[in-house]
Amino acid sequence: MKYLLFLPAFLLSIICNSQSFFNPLSIPPTLTGTNFNLTVAPSTHTFYGSTATPTYGINGSYLGPTLIMNKGDSVSIAVTNNLTQTTSIHWHGLHIPASTDGGPHSPIPAATTWNIGYKVLNNASTFWYHPHPHQNTATQVYMGLAGMIIVKDTVEAQLNLPRTYGVDDFPVVLQDRSFNANGTFNVEALADSMIVNGTANAYLDCPAQVVRMRLLNGSNVRSYNLGFSDNRSFYVIASDGGLLSQPFQVTRLKISGGERYEILVDLTASIGNSFYLTSFASAFGNIEPGGGGMANGNSPLNAVDFPIMQLNVVAATANPVTQIPSSLISVTPLQTVNANRTRNKTLEGNGMFTNMGNFTINNLPFDMMYINDTVLLNDTEVWQFTNNSNLAHPMHIHDISFYIVDRNGNAPPAHEAALKDVFYIMPNEIVRVIMKFEDFANDTIPYMYHCHNLMHEDNGMMAQFIVISDPLGSNDETSSNEEITVYPNPASGEVILKWKDALPGNAQVVVYNAVGQIVCTETMSSGTMNLNSLQWNNGIYFISFVQDKKVVWKKLIVNH
Ligand code: C2O
Ligand code: CU
Ligand code: CU
């Protein structure tokens, strides 16, 4: 049961046309500097009329502040969790150490504060932050936990681009939500109402000049096919991880869950005009989230064109940007000839968007204790994704930004020719991405890669990789004692254990998995011993050597 007021925006727009977009678009406040304090807490927020919706917010009632960071700065962040449940906060797209990345391995229990710091290494672009707790991301994001991050750098600062936040440079966080009659959220995959920056029925007064919009699809599941109701063209200038080489003129732009695009809209000749940012979702196939057919269920926003937000063009500001720049930055994609290896990832399973389905990566449901991939620091890798499932998925990789090499063998379209961290992949499509794993080795805390359909992610369409600096493990804190070597490490088959000098007497060798279960016990009677790692699942293992009263621990990574 829904209030009449909760009619989806597009129905209202048919009934009362522009009168229905009566709420000024909320522009989230900014936090700047190098110290960020974020408090995650339950709240209430009024989306419609005077009905309060119970929400979660970050320093506020719904969503969080926009964090403005400068490339090169070292920032400190304190996240206080005032919920009654565990959360985590992930800095989506930022290239930061695994220990600060905020995935499910970095829970923030209720009533605790997570203090971290990292150096901002990314180029200027639009990123975001959101919870990533084990199997509970979808609901927490739906309740309101997300915020934008704008990274600035000196290269972008040289360009003649709009960059006055909330004046000619607008955050646009796209989300769909459904409400119950009592105002509470009805958490569902494909909801019936659009909100932008937490504003329902939003309008935005834009100055008659070139304006920039930072589009973020912060929806749990839905994709959008963006354009304007008057079919005016606009220019894509950046995607997830940075600027394009030059503005790319389009009239439609698909954006899947987690993706960002920055666009320029030339309003210099449009003063007095009113039009809509629209999702032309009638163009979606049944295999896309927000298209039609059984897989999408019956949301009134499915497979129709619907207005998202009204734009009214008002007087220009002082010193407006009035031209679309002809070029932006030089983009130099990594080359496949320089790749150290290729990994094959298949997307498996079947289901609908309205249920969780049984989607996996490589037929392995997510297991926190299982390391799916071990990457060597400084390697360049190609990951080839093949979508064997029946639906489209937005795939996301933590830690690094990548370049899309090709889609079914064809170079990516110009708007995707930038650093990215999410790519949309259709059924039967093969997408290759290339990336270099620089900077952060950590042999115990993995990075995630997953479908950014938050229901698929929570239900196991996720995997994890570690980046290690030294295949022999001699940089590991647990192997500072070089008395014993374990190699090769990572191991894919036979593992050799070797004492440096003569074995002083029989030793007990016990191998533990990452959760402390014993997987093997042997007696070592000579200086060398072989084990077969094929009998163990991929992951991290700890080997104890007990000889007389002495215990030596070694770490072993198995990846076959
Ligand atoms: Cu935006 Cu692993 O997430
Ligand atoms: Cu991420
Ligand atoms: Cu998916």
Side-chain angles (χ1 to χ4, degrees), residues 90 92-93 396 398:
H90 166 58
H92 179 130
H396 169 51
H398 288 212

Side-chain angles (χ1 to χ4, degrees), residues 347 353 356 359-360 387 389 391-395 450-457 461:
L347 309 181
F353 291 113
M356 289 187 167
F359 298 102
T360 65
N387 186 355
S389 82
L391 299 179
H393 305 273
M395 299 305 298
H450 59 88
C451 177
H452 220 286
N453 174 322
L454 301 183
M455 290 176 74
H456 293 175
E457 172 190 335
M461 195 177 188

Side-chain angles (χ1 to χ4, degrees), residues 117-332:
Y118 51 73
K119 187 169 178 185
V120 180
L121 297 172
N122 292 75
N123 294 338
S125 203
T126 303
F127 303 92
W128 63 306
Y129 58 99
H130 62 76
H132 217 303
H134 187 47
Q135 296 182 329
N136 200 20
T137 295
T139 304
Q140 290 193 357
V141 171
Y142 203 100
M143 290 296 287
L145 301 182
M148 189 174 272
I149 301 172
I150 295 175
V151 172
K152 306 203 160 205
D153 70 15
T154 54
V155 175
E156 189 269 353
Q158 300 299 310
L159 299 169
N160 187 27
L161 292 173
R163 63 172 67 78
T164 308
Y165 182 81
V167 174
D168 61 6
D169 179 351
F170 301 103
V172 178
V173 183
L174 303 170
Q175 296 178 311
D176 58 335
R177 293 290 182 269
S178 293
F179 299 83
N180 296 309
N182 63 4
T184 56
F185 278 132
N186 173 21
V187 180
E188 58 182 349
L190 291 154
D192 59 17
S193 307
M194 281 306 300
I195 57 173
V196 185
N197 300 347
T199 309
N201 300 322
Y203 75 85
L204 174 65
D205 289 340
C206 290
Q209 59 203 58
V210 173
V211 299
R212 180 181 194 165
M213 293 184 183
R214 297 171 185 270
L215 306 167
L216 157 63
N217 185 348
S219 307
N220 280 30
V221 174
R222 187 178 294 280
S223 295
Y224 303 93
N225 186 29
L226 298 176
F228 294 102
S229 54
D230 59 2
N231 277 321
R232 71 179 54 229
S233 59
F234 53 101
Y235 299 84
V236 181
I237 58 165
S239 188
D240 308 329
L243 291 159
L244 307 182
S245 59
Q246 58 191 50
F248 178 55
Q249 187 176 7
V250 297
T251 54
R252 296 286 183 270
L253 178 65
K254 263 189 203 179
I255 185 168
S256 66
E259 275 189 298
R260 289 89 64 210
Y261 284 105
E262 293 179 24
I263 62 169
L264 296 181
V265 191
D266 183 353
L267 302 176
T268 50
S270 301
I271 191 155
N273 287 12
S274 281
F275 53 98
Y276 300 97
L277 173 67
T278 296
S279 180
F280 292 89
S282 64
F284 282 149
N286 294 352
I287 42 112
E288 291 185 72
M294 265 235 319
N296 276 289
N298 60 3
S299 161
L301 301 183
N302 288 348
V304 296
D305 300 342
F306 60 90
I308 293 171
M309 162 168 82
Q310 183 176 346
L311 303 171
N312 304 315
V313 185
V314 300
T317 63
N319 306 314
V321 173
T322 56
Q323 304 250 306
I324 305 293
S326 56
S327 69
L328 297 166
I329 61 164
S330 83
V331 176
T332 320

